[in-house]
Amino acid sequence: MAQKFDVVVVGAGPGGYVAAIRCAQLGLSTAVVEREWMGGVCLNVGCIPSKALITAGHFLDRLRNDAPEMGFKLPKGEVAVDMAQMQKWKRGVCDRMAGGVEQLLKGNGVTVLRGEATFKTAQELGVKSSSGEESVTAKNFIIATGSRPIEIPGFAFDEKLVLSSTGALALADLPKKLVVIGGGYIGLELGSMYAHLGVEVTVVEAGKGVLQGAADPDCVQVVARKLKKTGVEVLTEAKAKSWKKSGSGVEVVVDVKGAARAIKADKVVVTVGRKPNSDQANLKGIGLQVDERGFVKTDARRRTSVPHIFAIGDVACQPMLAHKASHEGVLVAEVIAGKNRAYDAKTVPAVIFVDPEIASAGMTEEEAKAAGHTDLKVGKFPFAANGRAVSMMETDGFVKMIADAKTDVVLGIHIVGPEASNLISEAALAIEMGARLQDIALTIHPHPTLGETMMEAAEAALGHAIHVIQKPLAARKEGAPGLRADA
Amino acid sequence: MATKNVQLPEIGEGVTEGELVNWLVKPGDKIEPDQAIAELMTDKATVEVPSPIGGIVKELKFKEGDVITVGSVVVTVDAVGAGAEAPAPSSHAAPAAAKSPAPGAKLASAQAAAQPASAGANGMEIHPPPASSKVLATPATRRLAREMGVDINGMAGTGMAGRVTRDDVLSARGAGAVSGGPAAYQAPSVPRPAFTGQGGALEERVPLKGIRKKIAENLQMAKHIIPHFTLMDEADVTQLVNMREELKAAGEKAGVKVTYMPFVFKALIATVREFPMFNASIDDAAGEIVYKKYFNIGFAADTPQGLLVPIVKGADQKSLLQVAREISELAGKARDGKLALDEMKGATFTVTNIGSVGGTYATPVINHPEVAIFGMYKIQDKPVLKNGQIGFIKTMNFTVTADHRLIDGAVAARFLKAFIHRIENPGVLMLDMM
């Protein structure tokens, strides 16, 4: 007999498990179905393991390049990388987080069903596992089945020589040479991580530059410079055509601006993006509408075309980011519990863990203009002028603040530099609160911290940052923009 | 010929679902646009569901007794001569190219993408509409507006740079206040303990739904919000009984059954004029008291579906005979489940006549957002000592239950005393006549 629930969540990633916990907190009988990993791609083959390895790479990079100047004497020769130990440590990080998710679900009384979910009807879900198949019914379903890496023709993933991001995070031995196809954020995060660990990396990018459309162009420029310095080769306007085995490795044929070039490497990593898993679980069979990009169509409550079924996270819409999925998970759980909710967040902050990190919240200048903000105030403050950044020996980058010139309301904040990922939350809060430049400038930021750059960037946008030379206040005309301390 | 889905439309303010009482059509029937196709019992009343389109009924999607939510497909209809269903609004083009920048790589520019979210996928309206990215208000203020049913888009904010403040939202709500009250009310978080019984054949479980569910929610809300207190007294209604006997015959000639309730209405309206706080509401959202200059008197009607409260609107403007006629008509409709939604909306004061069933006194629950409920009980013969002689009078008990936030105990006592003076001396009512 089918088990009955108020809510069944399909997928235990950062959208699904959060939705399930909030449902349970609201007194709904809840089950979550997971076919692979508790915590989903994020905790197991995405955000968390990649950040573990990126941290390791950064650590080694600093050891090699910065430690001597700080006064450390390294033993002669290279620092050896024990890849097996690094993988073991990374696995430990993931297991700990995934175990935490399982405990939280259990502690909240959520039933965890392991297996592959397929809708039999819009009311009944089959869950198939090695121990057989069972059925569950529910008043509401939440689809949180996520996304998977896109394959390109001729480069089917075998996870031995042709790797997806999943395989690239699980290498047992450190390769000597890698070809990364796709200069988006996943490709560059993996590419710079391996470069830091001493791997020779070539990035093949079809566009005119890396991270195109993924971040503020000024921020990208800083990263592009650092890639060059680290020795990562970036081929732009280049298309990967084919590959063949070459010894124990591969030979990839790339068309670079019309000229064919063969590149030998140990492995090739394909990171050209991810696509929603809307073609699974018989979602279309039960009448869910899917748009031409493969996202399940939803409204601002994340309700699908079948009213008792909701969809959240990567399977529902852009941006495909874990924190957006979690936000939607809470929202949908509350909608199901009868509360009036709708998605109205002003910004989903985004972080790219390259070197240095890029983080953004709100609009770029281009987007602000397109949205009708004709006059902008833009302030930039470099980390090189920040005491903490200098004392950390990480001075590349800046904070850029964009505001509407008429109202001084902050529209976007873009950071490239040390700990950009940890600084961006203040930016997101400012934008959600509708803060003006003065609100940030007048908030006392502690010294000496990287966070002072936010305050200074706001001051710079107003025309009077302290720690960079701007045009003297006295030389300006009374009432000129930037002089109004509190208009 | 195109097959079209007919969805359950919005059937009343705050109504989200209804129980299918019976179908008025069957597969194969030809229907005209706006023809009623089903009878639905909602938590407020029984309504007829129209089909917006005409054609041949193809399939009935529910069976009688099913609960249907607003927006679900009720029937499919083969539309005669109509074009195919309009294609779903397609969003942006750009299929997921297998080259970067890939979908996942769109970060900075993806901010807006989460927002519009191809609405219309299910035809269900979201009220109020989601705040656009241009709205300048904190997340907490945006949520407050949503929970209060206020559309924050386009609101003129009084804060710096046009920021919509919490106060702006609260006062926007105050403007339209009381009328939309119960619909916008967010149920308090009360514990919902499970009941574990013996199970099996000794117990029967039925869903809490329809009118019963609405009664439960409304009473829970009233008890949660309003600090109740009840005052009781007895009145000598000998004169009233005599008067009513006389008027009963006159009423019968006019085809109206004259009960005691119209007299109570009239005595109450006269008394409430002296004590306007009994005909008020508290607008909690705005922090204001709303005094009403109109008298819509509700009366509790016991019906097979449960408690309903039909309303005599503008009762102060109507004659005793008119009030009597309306009460009897509304009570009949209530029993038959034929009350229209607007016949139960907008009461300013409620009377409950428990006396017709039994009991000497009760402590009724106020019908929020009203601030008082009046109880009348059965007439009894009672011996009294009068001038050293034992005589008999007719007595009737009355109670007034009031919202203690607005009405002090002494005020309620004076109110009840003033009412009893009128009901004991019905001739006085002549003085109050307008």
Side-chain angles (χ1 to χ4, degrees), chain A residues 152 185 205 213-214 272-273 292 298-300 302-305 318 340-341 344-348 352 362 367 371 432 434 436, chain B residues 91-92 98 100 102-105 107-109 111 114-115 117-118 121-122 127 133-135 137 139 142-143 146-147 160 163:
Chain A
I152 52 173
Y185 80 97
E205 165 58 42
V272 294
E292 62 274 27
T298 62
D299 63 15
R302 298 296 176 259
R303 195 190 290 273
T304 68
S305 48
Q318 293 279 22
N340 191 351
R341 298 284 183 265
D344 66 358
K346 290 167 98 76
T347 178
V348 181
I352 307 175
E367 287 165 344
E432 290 293 348
R436 303 168 72 213
Chain B
S91 19
H92 332 282
S100 54
L107 290 184
S109 57
Q111 313 297 357
Q115 232 143 8
S118 53
N122 51 48
H127 182 79
S133 62
K134 289 210 176 4
V135 169
R142 279 178 256 154
R143 174 158 295 180
R146 166 157 305 283
E147 290 183 339
M160 281 201 294
R163 193 178 318 206

Short mmCIF file of all heavy atoms in Angstrom, two decimals, chain A residues 152 185 205 213-214 272-273 292 298-300 302-305 318 340-341 344-348 352 362 367 371 432 434 436, chain B residues 91-92 98 100 102-105 107-109 111 114-115 117-118 121-122 127 133-135 137 139 142-143 146-147 160 163:
data_model
loop_
_atom_site.label_atom_id
_atom_site.label_comp_id
_atom_site.label_asym_id
_atom_site.label_seq_id
_atom_site.Cartn_x
_atom_site.Cartn_y
_atom_site.Cartn_z
N ILE A 152 28.93 17.83 -24.91
CA ILE A 152 28.99 18.39 -26.27
C ILE A 152 29.31 17.25 -27.22
O ILE A 152 29.91 16.24 -26.82
CB ILE A 152 30.02 19.54 -26.39
CG1 ILE A 152 31.39 19.10 -25.86
CG2 ILE A 152 29.53 20.77 -25.68
CD1 ILE A 152 32.47 20.13 -26.12
N TYR A 185 32.26 29.82 -15.32
CA TYR A 185 32.78 29.85 -13.94
C TYR A 185 33.21 28.48 -13.44
O TYR A 185 34.19 28.36 -12.72
CB TYR A 185 31.79 30.54 -13.00
CG TYR A 185 30.64 29.71 -12.51
CD1 TYR A 185 30.71 29.09 -11.25
CD2 TYR A 185 29.49 29.56 -13.26
CE1 TYR A 185 29.64 28.35 -10.79
CE2 TYR A 185 28.43 28.82 -12.80
CZ TYR A 185 28.50 28.21 -11.56
OH TYR A 185 27.47 27.48 -11.10
N GLU A 205 37.90 28.34 -24.91
CA GLU A 205 36.67 29.12 -24.76
C GLU A 205 36.18 29.60 -26.13
O GLU A 205 36.95 30.16 -26.91
CB GLU A 205 36.95 30.31 -23.82
CG GLU A 205 35.91 31.41 -23.84
CD GLU A 205 34.51 30.95 -23.48
OE1 GLU A 205 34.36 30.14 -22.54
OE2 GLU A 205 33.55 31.37 -24.15
N GLY A 213 29.63 37.50 -19.70
CA GLY A 213 28.25 37.58 -19.22
C GLY A 213 28.07 37.01 -17.84
O GLY A 213 26.98 37.01 -17.29
N ALA A 214 29.14 36.49 -17.24
CA ALA A 214 29.01 35.86 -15.93
C ALA A 214 29.34 36.84 -14.81
O ALA A 214 29.01 36.61 -13.67
CB ALA A 214 29.93 34.64 -15.84
N VAL A 272 30.78 23.10 -20.01
CA VAL A 272 30.14 24.12 -20.85
C VAL A 272 28.77 24.51 -20.28
O VAL A 272 27.98 25.16 -20.95
CB VAL A 272 29.99 23.64 -22.30
CG1 VAL A 272 31.35 23.46 -22.94
CG2 VAL A 272 29.19 22.35 -22.37
N GLY A 273 28.52 24.10 -19.07
CA GLY A 273 27.26 24.49 -18.45
C GLY A 273 26.47 23.30 -17.95
O GLY A 273 26.92 22.16 -18.03
N GLU A 292 11.50 26.21 -23.38
CA GLU A 292 12.40 25.73 -24.43
C GLU A 292 13.84 25.55 -23.94
O GLU A 292 14.65 24.93 -24.59
CB GLU A 292 12.35 26.66 -25.65
CG GLU A 292 12.79 28.07 -25.39
CD GLU A 292 11.64 28.95 -24.88
OE1 GLU A 292 10.68 28.42 -24.26
OE2 GLU A 292 11.70 30.16 -25.08
N THR A 298 7.11 27.69 -13.90
CA THR A 298 6.48 27.95 -12.61
C THR A 298 6.05 29.41 -12.54
O THR A 298 6.51 30.24 -13.32
CB THR A 298 7.44 27.69 -11.43
OG1 THR A 298 8.54 28.59 -11.54
CG2 THR A 298 7.93 26.27 -11.40
N ASP A 299 5.19 29.71 -11.56
CA ASP A 299 4.84 31.11 -11.32
C ASP A 299 5.69 31.63 -10.16
O ASP A 299 6.63 30.97 -9.72
CB ASP A 299 3.34 31.26 -11.07
CG ASP A 299 2.87 30.53 -9.81
OD1 ASP A 299 3.73 30.15 -8.98
OD2 ASP A 299 1.66 30.35 -9.66
N ALA A 300 5.36 32.81 -9.66
CA ALA A 300 6.19 33.42 -8.62
C ALA A 300 6.07 32.69 -7.29
O ALA A 300 6.74 33.04 -6.32
CB ALA A 300 5.85 34.90 -8.46
N ARG A 302 6.41 29.42 -7.47
CA ARG A 302 7.06 28.19 -7.92
C ARG A 302 6.05 27.06 -8.06
O ARG A 302 6.37 25.90 -7.87
CB ARG A 302 8.22 27.80 -7.00
CG ARG A 302 9.33 28.83 -6.96
CD ARG A 302 9.98 28.97 -8.33
NE ARG A 302 10.98 30.04 -8.33
CZ ARG A 302 10.76 31.27 -8.82
NH1 ARG A 302 9.62 31.59 -9.36
NH2 ARG A 302 11.72 32.17 -8.78
N ARG A 303 4.80 27.44 -8.38
CA ARG A 303 3.78 26.45 -8.64
C ARG A 303 3.84 26.12 -10.12
O ARG A 303 3.95 27.02 -10.95
CB ARG A 303 2.40 27.03 -8.27
CG ARG A 303 1.29 26.02 -8.15
CD ARG A 303 -0.05 26.72 -8.04
NE ARG A 303 -0.25 27.42 -6.78
CZ ARG A 303 -0.74 26.85 -5.68
NH1 ARG A 303 -1.06 25.58 -5.68
NH2 ARG A 303 -0.91 27.57 -4.58
N THR A 304 3.80 24.85 -10.46
CA THR A 304 3.90 24.46 -11.87
C THR A 304 2.53 24.53 -12.52
O THR A 304 1.56 24.97 -11.92
CB THR A 304 4.41 23.02 -11.99
OG1 THR A 304 3.39 22.15 -11.50
CG2 THR A 304 5.70 22.81 -11.20
N SER A 305 2.46 24.05 -13.75
CA SER A 305 1.18 24.04 -14.46
C SER A 305 0.20 23.05 -13.84
O SER A 305 -0.97 23.06 -14.13
CB SER A 305 1.40 23.73 -15.93
OG SER A 305 2.24 22.60 -16.07
N GLN A 318 16.67 29.99 -13.79
CA GLN A 318 17.96 30.63 -13.51
C GLN A 318 17.83 31.55 -12.30
O GLN A 318 16.72 31.99 -12.02
CB GLN A 318 18.38 31.48 -14.71
CG GLN A 318 18.70 30.70 -15.95
CD GLN A 318 20.10 30.12 -15.93
OE1 GLN A 318 20.69 29.95 -14.87
NE2 GLN A 318 20.60 29.76 -17.10
N ASN A 340 0.80 33.32 2.62
CA ASN A 340 0.87 34.09 1.39
C ASN A 340 2.31 34.48 1.12
O ASN A 340 2.88 35.33 1.79
CB ASN A 340 -0.01 35.34 1.50
CG ASN A 340 -0.18 36.03 0.16
OD1 ASN A 340 0.49 35.68 -0.82
ND2 ASN A 340 -1.07 36.99 0.10
N ARG A 341 2.91 33.80 0.17
CA ARG A 341 4.31 34.06 -0.18
C ARG A 341 4.45 34.15 -1.69
O ARG A 341 3.69 33.51 -2.41
CB ARG A 341 5.20 32.89 0.30
CG ARG A 341 5.21 32.67 1.81
CD ARG A 341 6.07 33.73 2.49
NE ARG A 341 6.15 33.46 3.92
CZ ARG A 341 5.35 34.00 4.81
NH1 ARG A 341 4.41 34.85 4.46
NH2 ARG A 341 5.48 33.70 6.10
N ASP A 344 10.07 37.46 -4.37
CA ASP A 344 10.27 38.87 -4.72
C ASP A 344 11.65 39.37 -4.29
O ASP A 344 11.84 40.55 -4.06
CB ASP A 344 9.16 39.75 -4.14
CG ASP A 344 9.17 39.80 -2.63
OD1 ASP A 344 10.01 39.11 -2.01
OD2 ASP A 344 8.34 40.53 -2.05
N ALA A 345 12.61 38.44 -4.18
CA ALA A 345 13.97 38.87 -3.83
C ALA A 345 14.49 39.80 -4.91
O ALA A 345 14.22 39.61 -6.09
CB ALA A 345 14.88 37.66 -3.68
N LYS A 346 15.23 40.83 -4.51
CA LYS A 346 15.75 41.78 -5.49
C LYS A 346 17.02 41.26 -6.14
O LYS A 346 17.33 41.63 -7.25
CB LYS A 346 16.04 43.12 -4.81
CG LYS A 346 14.80 43.88 -4.39
CD LYS A 346 15.15 45.03 -3.46
CE LYS A 346 15.22 46.33 -4.21
NZ LYS A 346 13.90 46.86 -4.54
N THR A 347 17.74 40.43 -5.43
CA THR A 347 19.01 39.95 -6.00
C THR A 347 19.36 38.56 -5.47
O THR A 347 19.06 38.24 -4.33
CB THR A 347 20.15 40.94 -5.69
OG1 THR A 347 21.37 40.40 -6.21
CG2 THR A 347 20.34 41.16 -4.20
N VAL A 348 19.96 37.77 -6.33
CA VAL A 348 20.58 36.52 -5.89
C VAL A 348 22.08 36.76 -6.01
O VAL A 348 22.62 36.84 -7.12
CB VAL A 348 20.18 35.34 -6.79
CG1 VAL A 348 20.83 34.05 -6.29
CG2 VAL A 348 18.68 35.19 -6.87
N ILE A 352 32.08 33.59 -7.71
CA ILE A 352 32.90 32.73 -8.56
C ILE A 352 34.24 32.55 -7.84
O ILE A 352 34.96 33.52 -7.60
CB ILE A 352 33.13 33.37 -9.95
CG1 ILE A 352 31.78 33.76 -10.57
CG2 ILE A 352 33.88 32.41 -10.86
CD1 ILE A 352 31.91 34.51 -11.88
N GLY A 362 23.14 42.40 -7.31
CA GLY A 362 22.50 43.48 -8.03
C GLY A 362 23.01 43.59 -9.46
O GLY A 362 23.58 42.66 -10.01
N GLU A 367 23.41 46.67 -17.06
CA GLU A 367 22.05 46.27 -16.69
C GLU A 367 21.27 47.42 -16.06
O GLU A 367 20.08 47.58 -16.29
CB GLU A 367 22.12 45.08 -15.71
CG GLU A 367 22.51 43.77 -16.38
CD GLU A 367 22.94 42.70 -15.38
OE1 GLU A 367 23.23 43.02 -14.21
OE2 GLU A 367 22.98 41.53 -15.78
N ALA A 371 17.85 49.09 -17.33
CA ALA A 371 16.67 49.13 -16.47
C ALA A 371 16.14 50.56 -16.28
O ALA A 371 15.23 50.78 -15.49
CB ALA A 371 16.99 48.50 -15.12
N GLU A 432 18.74 44.56 -0.77
CA GLU A 432 17.40 44.14 -0.32
C GLU A 432 16.74 45.23 0.55
O GLU A 432 15.54 45.42 0.50
CB GLU A 432 17.47 42.83 0.47
CG GLU A 432 17.81 41.61 -0.36
CD GLU A 432 16.73 41.23 -1.37
OE1 GLU A 432 15.61 41.75 -1.29
OE2 GLU A 432 17.02 40.40 -2.25
N GLY A 434 17.16 48.33 0.25
CA GLY A 434 16.98 49.58 -0.48
C GLY A 434 17.93 50.65 0.02
O GLY A 434 17.61 51.84 0.07
N ARG A 436 20.92 53.41 0.49
CA ARG A 436 21.54 54.43 -0.33
C ARG A 436 23.03 54.42 -0.01
O ARG A 436 23.46 53.84 0.99
CB ARG A 436 20.93 55.80 -0.03
CG ARG A 436 19.42 55.79 -0.23
CD ARG A 436 18.80 57.04 0.34
NE ARG A 436 19.10 58.20 -0.47
CZ ARG A 436 19.26 59.43 0.03
NH1 ARG A 436 19.18 59.64 1.34
NH2 ARG A 436 19.50 60.45 -0.76
N SER B 91 8.62 32.23 -23.09
CA SER B 91 9.58 33.19 -22.54
C SER B 91 10.73 33.35 -23.54
O SER B 91 10.62 32.99 -24.69
CB SER B 91 10.06 32.71 -21.18
OG SER B 91 9.82 31.35 -21.03
N HIS B 92 11.81 33.85 -23.06
CA HIS B 92 12.92 34.23 -23.94
C HIS B 92 13.40 33.06 -24.80
O HIS B 92 13.25 31.93 -24.44
CB HIS B 92 14.08 34.74 -23.10
CG HIS B 92 13.65 35.36 -21.83
ND1 HIS B 92 13.13 36.63 -21.77
CD2 HIS B 92 13.59 34.86 -20.57
CE1 HIS B 92 12.80 36.89 -20.53
NE2 HIS B 92 13.05 35.83 -19.79
N ALA B 98 25.33 24.55 -26.51
CA ALA B 98 26.33 23.64 -25.96
C ALA B 98 27.69 24.31 -25.90
O ALA B 98 28.71 23.68 -25.85
CB ALA B 98 26.39 22.38 -26.80
N SER B 100 29.85 27.76 -24.18
CA SER B 100 29.71 28.80 -23.19
C SER B 100 29.56 30.14 -23.88
O SER B 100 29.95 30.30 -25.03
CB SER B 100 30.91 28.79 -22.25
OG SER B 100 32.08 28.87 -23.04
N ALA B 102 27.53 29.22 -20.87
CA ALA B 102 26.49 28.23 -20.66
C ALA B 102 25.47 28.76 -19.68
O ALA B 102 25.72 29.74 -19.00
CB ALA B 102 27.14 26.97 -20.13
N PRO B 103 24.32 28.10 -19.59
CA PRO B 103 23.27 28.60 -18.69
C PRO B 103 23.79 28.81 -17.28
O PRO B 103 23.55 29.83 -16.67
CB PRO B 103 22.23 27.47 -18.71
CG PRO B 103 22.48 26.71 -19.96
CD PRO B 103 23.92 26.89 -20.30
N GLY B 104 24.54 27.88 -16.78
CA GLY B 104 25.01 27.97 -15.40
C GLY B 104 26.02 29.08 -15.20
O GLY B 104 26.28 29.50 -14.10
N ALA B 105 26.59 29.54 -16.31
CA ALA B 105 27.64 30.54 -16.17
C ALA B 105 27.10 31.95 -16.10
O ALA B 105 27.81 32.88 -15.82
CB ALA B 105 28.60 30.42 -17.35
N LEU B 107 25.85 34.58 -14.36
CA LEU B 107 25.67 34.91 -12.95
C LEU B 107 25.13 36.31 -12.78
O LEU B 107 23.98 36.50 -12.47
CB LEU B 107 27.00 34.75 -12.21
CG LEU B 107 27.42 33.29 -12.08
CD1 LEU B 107 28.68 33.21 -11.26
CD2 LEU B 107 26.33 32.46 -11.45
N ALA B 108 25.98 37.29 -13.04
CA ALA B 108 25.57 38.66 -12.77
C ALA B 108 24.28 39.01 -13.49
O ALA B 108 23.40 39.64 -12.94
CB ALA B 108 26.67 39.61 -13.19
N SER B 109 24.16 38.57 -14.72
CA SER B 109 22.98 38.98 -15.49
C SER B 109 21.78 38.11 -15.15
O SER B 109 20.72 38.30 -15.69
CB SER B 109 23.30 38.88 -16.97
OG SER B 109 23.70 37.56 -17.26
N GLN B 111 20.32 37.88 -12.33
CA GLN B 111 19.53 38.41 -11.21
C GLN B 111 18.05 38.43 -11.54
O GLN B 111 17.22 38.02 -10.76
CB GLN B 111 19.96 39.84 -10.87
CG GLN B 111 21.44 40.05 -10.78
CD GLN B 111 22.09 39.26 -9.69
OE1 GLN B 111 21.42 38.57 -8.94
NE2 GLN B 111 23.39 39.33 -9.59
N ALA B 114 15.28 35.02 -12.11
CA ALA B 114 14.46 34.30 -11.14
C ALA B 114 13.12 34.98 -10.95
O ALA B 114 12.19 34.39 -10.44
CB ALA B 114 15.19 34.21 -9.81
N GLN B 115 13.03 36.22 -11.37
CA GLN B 115 11.84 36.99 -11.02
C GLN B 115 10.59 36.72 -11.85
O GLN B 115 9.60 36.30 -11.29
CB GLN B 115 12.18 38.47 -11.00
CG GLN B 115 11.75 39.07 -9.70
CD GLN B 115 12.71 40.12 -9.20
OE1 GLN B 115 13.62 40.52 -9.88
NE2 GLN B 115 12.51 40.57 -8.01
N ALA B 117 9.64 34.49 -13.95
CA ALA B 117 9.25 33.12 -13.71
C ALA B 117 8.03 32.69 -14.51
O ALA B 117 7.07 32.17 -13.98
CB ALA B 117 9.00 32.92 -12.24
N SER B 118 8.06 32.97 -15.77
CA SER B 118 7.01 32.52 -16.68
C SER B 118 5.68 32.30 -15.99
O SER B 118 5.18 31.19 -15.89
CB SER B 118 7.44 31.22 -17.37
OG SER B 118 7.83 30.26 -16.42
N ALA B 121 1.74 29.75 -15.92
CA ALA B 121 1.88 28.33 -16.19
C ALA B 121 0.65 27.57 -15.72
O ALA B 121 0.30 26.55 -16.26
CB ALA B 121 3.14 27.78 -15.52
N ASN B 122 -0.01 28.09 -14.67
CA ASN B 122 -1.14 27.35 -14.14
C ASN B 122 -2.41 28.20 -14.07
O ASN B 122 -3.41 27.77 -13.55
CB ASN B 122 -0.80 26.82 -12.76
CG ASN B 122 -0.25 27.92 -11.87
OD1 ASN B 122 -0.85 28.99 -11.81
ND2 ASN B 122 0.86 27.68 -11.23
N HIS B 127 -2.05 37.05 -5.53
CA HIS B 127 -2.47 38.34 -4.97
C HIS B 127 -1.83 38.53 -3.61
O HIS B 127 -1.89 37.66 -2.78
CB HIS B 127 -3.98 38.42 -4.85
CG HIS B 127 -4.41 39.75 -4.31
ND1 HIS B 127 -4.48 40.86 -5.11
CD2 HIS B 127 -4.73 40.14 -3.06
CE1 HIS B 127 -4.84 41.90 -4.36
NE2 HIS B 127 -4.99 41.48 -3.12
N SER B 133 11.36 44.55 -9.04
CA SER B 133 12.70 44.88 -8.52
C SER B 133 12.84 46.38 -8.30
O SER B 133 13.76 46.83 -7.65
CB SER B 133 13.76 44.38 -9.49
OG SER B 133 13.59 45.04 -10.73
N LYS B 134 11.92 47.16 -8.84
CA LYS B 134 12.00 48.61 -8.67
C LYS B 134 11.48 49.06 -7.30
O LYS B 134 11.76 50.16 -6.85
CB LYS B 134 11.18 49.30 -9.75
CG LYS B 134 11.80 49.19 -11.14
CD LYS B 134 11.41 50.42 -11.95
CE LYS B 134 12.00 50.54 -13.31
NZ LYS B 134 12.79 49.58 -13.92
N VAL B 135 10.70 48.21 -6.65
CA VAL B 135 10.12 48.59 -5.37
C VAL B 135 11.23 48.75 -4.33
O VAL B 135 12.08 47.89 -4.17
CB VAL B 135 9.11 47.53 -4.88
CG1 VAL B 135 8.71 47.80 -3.44
CG2 VAL B 135 7.90 47.52 -5.79
N ALA B 137 11.77 48.74 -0.74
CA ALA B 137 11.23 48.40 0.57
C ALA B 137 12.01 47.22 1.10
O ALA B 137 12.47 46.38 0.32
CB ALA B 137 9.75 48.05 0.47
N PRO B 139 12.92 43.60 2.83
CA PRO B 139 12.24 42.30 2.67
C PRO B 139 11.10 42.14 3.69
O PRO B 139 10.04 41.63 3.35
CB PRO B 139 13.36 41.30 2.92
CG PRO B 139 14.61 42.02 2.54
CD PRO B 139 14.37 43.46 2.91
N ARG B 142 8.15 44.14 2.55
CA ARG B 142 7.50 43.50 1.40
C ARG B 142 6.62 42.36 1.88
O ARG B 142 5.50 42.16 1.42
CB ARG B 142 8.56 42.98 0.43
CG ARG B 142 9.12 44.06 -0.48
CD ARG B 142 10.19 43.48 -1.38
NE ARG B 142 11.52 43.85 -0.93
CZ ARG B 142 12.61 43.15 -1.17
NH1 ARG B 142 12.55 42.02 -1.84
NH2 ARG B 142 13.78 43.57 -0.75
N ARG B 143 7.13 41.59 2.83
CA ARG B 143 6.34 40.46 3.33
C ARG B 143 5.11 40.95 4.09
O ARG B 143 4.02 40.39 3.95
CB ARG B 143 7.19 39.56 4.21
CG ARG B 143 6.34 38.47 4.84
CD ARG B 143 7.14 37.29 5.28
NE ARG B 143 7.74 36.62 4.14
CZ ARG B 143 8.49 35.54 4.24
NH1 ARG B 143 8.73 35.03 5.42
NH2 ARG B 143 9.00 34.97 3.18
N ARG B 146 2.48 41.80 1.67
CA ARG B 146 1.88 40.59 1.10
C ARG B 146 0.89 39.97 2.07
O ARG B 146 -0.23 39.63 1.72
CB ARG B 146 2.99 39.60 0.75
CG ARG B 146 2.53 38.17 0.45
CD ARG B 146 3.54 37.43 -0.38
NE ARG B 146 3.83 38.16 -1.60
CZ ARG B 146 3.02 38.21 -2.64
NH1 ARG B 146 1.91 37.53 -2.64
NH2 ARG B 146 3.34 38.92 -3.70
N GLU B 147 1.28 39.86 3.32
CA GLU B 147 0.41 39.21 4.29
C GLU B 147 -0.83 40.05 4.57
O GLU B 147 -1.87 39.51 4.94
CB GLU B 147 1.17 38.92 5.58
CG GLU B 147 2.20 37.80 5.36
CD GLU B 147 2.96 37.41 6.61
OE1 GLU B 147 2.99 38.22 7.55
OE2 GLU B 147 3.51 36.30 6.62
N MET B 160 13.08 58.02 2.62
CA MET B 160 14.07 58.67 1.78
C MET B 160 14.13 57.98 0.44
O MET B 160 14.05 56.76 0.36
CB MET B 160 15.44 58.60 2.45
CG MET B 160 15.58 59.65 3.55
SD MET B 160 17.31 59.96 3.89
CE MET B 160 17.84 58.41 4.56
N ARG B 163 11.36 55.39 -0.44
CA ARG B 163 11.29 54.06 0.18
C ARG B 163 9.91 53.84 0.82
O ARG B 163 9.40 54.71 1.52
CB ARG B 163 12.37 53.97 1.25
CG ARG B 163 12.62 52.59 1.74
CD ARG B 163 13.73 52.57 2.76
NE ARG B 163 14.85 53.45 2.36
CZ ARG B 163 16.08 53.25 2.78
NH1 ARG B 163 16.37 52.25 3.54
NH2 ARG B 163 17.02 54.09 2.42
#
